[in-house]
PDB file of all heavy atoms in Angstrom:
ATOM      1  N   LEU A 271     113.718 122.534-106.988  1.00  0.00           N
ATOM      2  CA  LEU A 271     114.147 121.176-107.332  1.00  0.00           C
ATOM      3  C   LEU A 271     113.063 120.174-106.919  1.00  0.00           C
ATOM      4  O   LEU A 271     112.727 119.260-107.668  1.00  0.00           O
ATOM      5  CB  LEU A 271     115.468 120.855-106.624  1.00  0.00           C
ATOM      6  CG  LEU A 271     116.149 119.565-107.065  1.00  0.00           C
ATOM      7  CD1 LEU A 271     116.838 119.754-108.404  1.00  0.00           C
ATOM      8  CD2 LEU A 271     117.160 119.084-106.034  1.00  0.00           C
ATOM      9  N   VAL A 272     112.512 120.384-105.732  1.00  0.00           N
ATOM     10  CA  VAL A 272     111.479 119.478-105.237  1.00  0.00           C
ATOM     11  C   VAL A 272     110.248 119.530-106.150  1.00  0.00           C
ATOM     12  O   VAL A 272     109.637 118.495-106.447  1.00  0.00           O
ATOM     13  CB  VAL A 272     111.110 119.838-103.776  1.00  0.00           C
ATOM     14  CG1 VAL A 272     109.832 119.162-103.358  1.00  0.00           C
ATOM     15  CG2 VAL A 272     112.242 119.462-102.837  1.00  0.00           C
ATOM     16  N   ARG A 273     109.900 120.727-106.624  1.00  0.00           N
ATOM     17  CA  ARG A 273     108.736 120.829-107.526  1.00  0.00           C
ATOM     18  C   ARG A 273     108.994 120.074-108.824  1.00  0.00           C
ATOM     19  O   ARG A 273     108.095 119.440-109.375  1.00  0.00           O
ATOM     20  CB  ARG A 273     108.416 122.299-107.824  1.00  0.00           C
ATOM     21  CG  ARG A 273     107.769 123.022-106.654  1.00  0.00           C
ATOM     22  CD  ARG A 273     106.984 124.238-107.107  1.00  0.00           C
ATOM     23  NE  ARG A 273     107.805 125.324-107.616  1.00  0.00           N
ATOM     24  CZ  ARG A 273     108.445 126.213-106.848  1.00  0.00           C
ATOM     25  NH1 ARG A 273     108.390 126.125-105.541  1.00  0.00           N
ATOM     26  NH2 ARG A 273     109.154 127.187-107.395  1.00  0.00           N
ATOM     27  N   GLU A 274     110.245 120.149-109.308  1.00  0.00           N
ATOM     28  CA  GLU A 274     110.575 119.411-110.537  1.00  0.00           C
ATOM     29  C   GLU A 274     110.456 117.909-110.292  1.00  0.00           C
ATOM     30  O   GLU A 274     109.958 117.174-111.136  1.00  0.00           O
ATOM     31  CB  GLU A 274     111.998 119.739-111.001  1.00  0.00           C
ATOM     32  CG  GLU A 274     112.205 121.185-111.402  1.00  0.00           C
ATOM     33  CD  GLU A 274     111.520 121.552-112.715  1.00  0.00           C
ATOM     34  OE1 GLU A 274     111.423 120.697-113.608  1.00  0.00           O
ATOM     35  OE2 GLU A 274     111.078 122.717-112.836  1.00  0.00           O
ATOM     36  N   VAL A 275     110.911 117.480-109.123  1.00  0.00           N
ATOM     37  CA  VAL A 275     110.828 116.052-108.805  1.00  0.00           C
ATOM     38  C   VAL A 275     109.357 115.640-108.696  1.00  0.00           C
ATOM     39  O   VAL A 275     108.964 114.567-109.158  1.00  0.00           O
ATOM     40  CB  VAL A 275     111.597 115.727-107.503  1.00  0.00           C
ATOM     41  CG1 VAL A 275     111.422 114.271-107.121  1.00  0.00           C
ATOM     42  CG2 VAL A 275     113.069 116.066-107.652  1.00  0.00           C
ATOM     43  N   SER A 276     108.543 116.506-108.096  1.00  0.00           N
ATOM     44  CA  SER A 276     107.116 116.197-107.967  1.00  0.00           C
ATOM     45  C   SER A 276     106.483 116.040-109.342  1.00  0.00           C
ATOM     46  O   SER A 276     105.672 115.136-109.566  1.00  0.00           O
ATOM     47  CB  SER A 276     106.375 117.306-107.210  1.00  0.00           C
ATOM     48  OG  SER A 276     106.962 117.491-105.968  1.00  0.00           O
ATOM     49  N   ALA A 277     106.845 116.925-110.261  1.00  0.00           N
ATOM     50  CA  ALA A 277     106.291 116.831-111.615  1.00  0.00           C
ATOM     51  C   ALA A 277     106.746 115.527-112.270  1.00  0.00           C
ATOM     52  O   ALA A 277     105.976 114.855-112.962  1.00  0.00           O
ATOM     53  CB  ALA A 277     106.733 118.036-112.437  1.00  0.00           C
ATOM     54  N   MET A 278     107.996 115.169-112.008  1.00  0.00           N
ATOM     55  CA  MET A 278     108.539 113.920-112.567  1.00  0.00           C
ATOM     56  C   MET A 278     107.766 112.723-112.001  1.00  0.00           C
ATOM     57  O   MET A 278     107.396 111.795-112.726  1.00  0.00           O
ATOM     58  CB  MET A 278     110.020 113.830-112.150  1.00  0.00           C
ATOM     59  CG  MET A 278     110.809 112.725-112.760  1.00  0.00           C
ATOM     60  SD  MET A 278     112.285 112.450-111.764  1.00  0.00           S
ATOM     61  CE  MET A 278     113.349 113.699-112.351  1.00  0.00           C
ATOM     62  N   ALA A 279     107.487 112.779-110.701  1.00  0.00           N
ATOM     63  CA  ALA A 279     106.741 111.694-110.065  1.00  0.00           C
ATOM     64  C   ALA A 279     105.317 111.635-110.620  1.00  0.00           C
ATOM     65  O   ALA A 279     104.801 110.561-110.937  1.00  0.00           O
ATOM     66  CB  ALA A 279     106.712 111.905-108.553  1.00  0.00           C
ATOM     67  N   ASP A 280     104.730 112.802-110.756  1.00  0.00           N
ATOM     68  CA  ASP A 280     103.383 112.919-111.305  1.00  0.00           C
ATOM     69  C   ASP A 280     103.282 112.243-112.670  1.00  0.00           C
ATOM     70  O   ASP A 280     102.343 111.507-112.953  1.00  0.00           O
ATOM     71  CB  ASP A 280     103.090 114.412-111.490  1.00  0.00           C
ATOM     72  CG  ASP A 280     101.741 114.772-110.936  1.00  0.00           C
ATOM     73  OD1 ASP A 280     101.377 114.197-109.902  1.00  0.00           O
ATOM     74  OD2 ASP A 280     101.062 115.616-111.555  1.00  0.00           O
ATOM     75  N   ALA A 281     104.281 112.506-113.495  1.00  0.00           N
ATOM     76  CA  ALA A 281     104.289 111.950-114.844  1.00  0.00           C
ATOM     77  C   ALA A 281     104.375 110.426-114.811  1.00  0.00           C
ATOM     78  O   ALA A 281     104.007 109.746-115.756  1.00  0.00           O
ATOM     79  CB  ALA A 281     105.458 112.525-115.634  1.00  0.00           C
ATOM     80  N   ARG A 282     104.899 109.890-113.700  1.00  0.00           N
ATOM     81  CA  ARG A 282     104.993 108.427-113.574  1.00  0.00           C
ATOM     82  C   ARG A 282     103.852 107.880-112.725  1.00  0.00           C
ATOM     83  O   ARG A 282     103.928 106.748-112.236  1.00  0.00           O
ATOM     84  CB  ARG A 282     106.322 108.048-112.902  1.00  0.00           C
ATOM     85  CG  ARG A 282     107.537 108.244-113.769  1.00  0.00           C
ATOM     86  CD  ARG A 282     108.782 108.113-112.864  1.00  0.00           C
ATOM     87  NE  ARG A 282     109.997 107.906-113.603  1.00  0.00           N
ATOM     88  CZ  ARG A 282     110.647 108.845-114.278  1.00  0.00           C
ATOM     89  NH1 ARG A 282     110.169 110.069-114.318  1.00  0.00           N
ATOM     90  NH2 ARG A 282     111.767 108.575-114.911  1.00  0.00           N
ATOM     91  N   ASP A 283     102.865 108.721-112.460  1.00  0.00           N
ATOM     92  CA  ASP A 283     101.723 108.314-111.630  1.00  0.00           C
ATOM     93  C   ASP A 283     102.114 107.933-110.215  1.00  0.00           C
ATOM     94  O   ASP A 283     101.479 107.079-109.594  1.00  0.00           O
ATOM     95  CB  ASP A 283     100.971 107.128-112.269  1.00  0.00           C
ATOM     96  CG  ASP A 283      99.954 107.636-113.265  1.00  0.00           C
ATOM     97  OD1 ASP A 283      99.576 108.817-113.146  1.00  0.00           O
ATOM     98  OD2 ASP A 283      99.563 106.866-114.157  1.00  0.00           O
ATOM     99  N   VAL A 284     103.184 108.544-109.737  1.00  0.00           N
ATOM    100  CA  VAL A 284     103.599 108.308-108.351  1.00  0.00           C
ATOM    101  C   VAL A 284     103.051 109.456-107.508  1.00  0.00           C
ATOM    102  O   VAL A 284     103.237 110.618-107.851  1.00  0.00           O
ATOM    103  CB  VAL A 284     105.143 108.254-108.237  1.00  0.00           C
ATOM    104  CG1 VAL A 284     105.582 108.166-106.787  1.00  0.00           C
ATOM    105  CG2 VAL A 284     105.694 107.083-109.047  1.00  0.00           C
ATOM    106  N   GLU A 285     102.373 109.111-106.424  1.00  0.00           N
ATOM    107  CA  GLU A 285     101.782 110.152-105.592  1.00  0.00           C
ATOM    108  C   GLU A 285     102.849 110.900-104.793  1.00  0.00           C
ATOM    109  O   GLU A 285     103.857 110.318-104.403  1.00  0.00           O
ATOM    110  CB  GLU A 285     100.786 109.533-104.608  1.00  0.00           C
ATOM    111  CG  GLU A 285      99.473 109.170-105.269  1.00  0.00           C
ATOM    112  CD  GLU A 285      98.427 108.852-104.226  1.00  0.00           C
ATOM    113  OE1 GLU A 285      98.519 107.756-103.645  1.00  0.00           O
ATOM    114  OE2 GLU A 285      97.553 109.701-103.980  1.00  0.00           O
ATOM    115  N   VAL A 286     102.598 112.190-104.562  1.00  0.00           N
ATOM    116  CA  VAL A 286     103.537 113.023-103.804  1.00  0.00           C
ATOM    117  C   VAL A 286     102.820 113.589-102.583  1.00  0.00           C
ATOM    118  O   VAL A 286     101.718 114.125-102.708  1.00  0.00           O
ATOM    119  CB  VAL A 286     104.047 114.198-104.674  1.00  0.00           C
ATOM    120  CG1 VAL A 286     105.052 115.043-103.898  1.00  0.00           C
ATOM    121  CG2 VAL A 286     104.658 113.693-105.974  1.00  0.00           C
ATOM    122  N   PHE A 287     103.422 113.428-101.413  1.00  0.00           N
ATOM    123  CA  PHE A 287     102.838 113.977-100.184  1.00  0.00           C
ATOM    124  C   PHE A 287     103.849 114.923 -99.543  1.00  0.00           C
ATOM    125  O   PHE A 287     105.012 114.563 -99.420  1.00  0.00           O
ATOM    126  CB  PHE A 287     102.497 112.855 -99.198  1.00  0.00           C
ATOM    127  CG  PHE A 287     101.642 111.783 -99.808  1.00  0.00           C
ATOM    128  CD1 PHE A 287     102.151 110.519-100.037  1.00  0.00           C
ATOM    129  CD2 PHE A 287     100.332 112.051-100.166  1.00  0.00           C
ATOM    130  CE1 PHE A 287     101.371 109.531-100.610  1.00  0.00           C
ATOM    131  CE2 PHE A 287      99.543 111.074-100.745  1.00  0.00           C
ATOM    132  CZ  PHE A 287     100.060 109.812-100.966  1.00  0.00           C
ATOM    133  N   THR A 288     103.386 116.083 -99.159  1.00  0.00           N
ATOM    134  CA  THR A 288     104.325 117.096 -98.672  1.00  0.00           C
ATOM    135  C   THR A 288     103.922 117.642 -97.312  1.00  0.00           C
ATOM    136  O   THR A 288     102.743 117.848 -97.048  1.00  0.00           O
ATOM    137  CB  THR A 288     104.366 118.277 -99.676  1.00  0.00           C
ATOM    138  OG1 THR A 288     104.649 117.759-100.969  1.00  0.00           O
ATOM    139  CG2 THR A 288     105.440 119.289 -99.310  1.00  0.00           C
ATOM    140  N   ALA A 289     104.904 117.867 -96.472  1.00  0.00           N
ATOM    141  CA  ALA A 289     104.670 118.612 -95.225  1.00  0.00           C
ATOM    142  C   ALA A 289     105.611 119.808 -95.230  1.00  0.00           C
ATOM    143  O   ALA A 289     106.804 119.650 -95.494  1.00  0.00           O
ATOM    144  CB  ALA A 289     104.960 117.736 -94.017  1.00  0.00           C
ATOM    145  N   PHE A 290     105.061 120.988 -94.994  1.00  0.00           N
ATOM    146  CA  PHE A 290     105.884 122.193 -94.919  1.00  0.00           C
ATOM    147  C   PHE A 290     106.121 122.539 -93.455  1.00  0.00           C
ATOM    148  O   PHE A 290     105.176 122.570 -92.672  1.00  0.00           O
ATOM    149  CB  PHE A 290     105.160 123.375 -95.588  1.00  0.00           C
ATOM    150  CG  PHE A 290     104.982 123.205 -97.058  1.00  0.00           C
ATOM    151  CD1 PHE A 290     103.783 122.756 -97.578  1.00  0.00           C
ATOM    152  CD2 PHE A 290     106.024 123.487 -97.926  1.00  0.00           C
ATOM    153  CE1 PHE A 290     103.614 122.586 -98.943  1.00  0.00           C
ATOM    154  CE2 PHE A 290     105.857 123.320 -99.298  1.00  0.00           C
ATOM    155  CZ  PHE A 290     104.652 122.868 -99.809  1.00  0.00           C
TER     156      PHE A 290
END
Side-chain angles (χ1 to χ4, degrees):
L271 190 77
V272 166
R273 286 203 291 279
E274 296 289 327
V275 176
S276 303
M278 188 199 278
D280 227 37
R282 288 168 164 75
D283 274 339
V284 174
E285 283 192 285
V286 182
F287 307 111
T288 306
F290 294 99

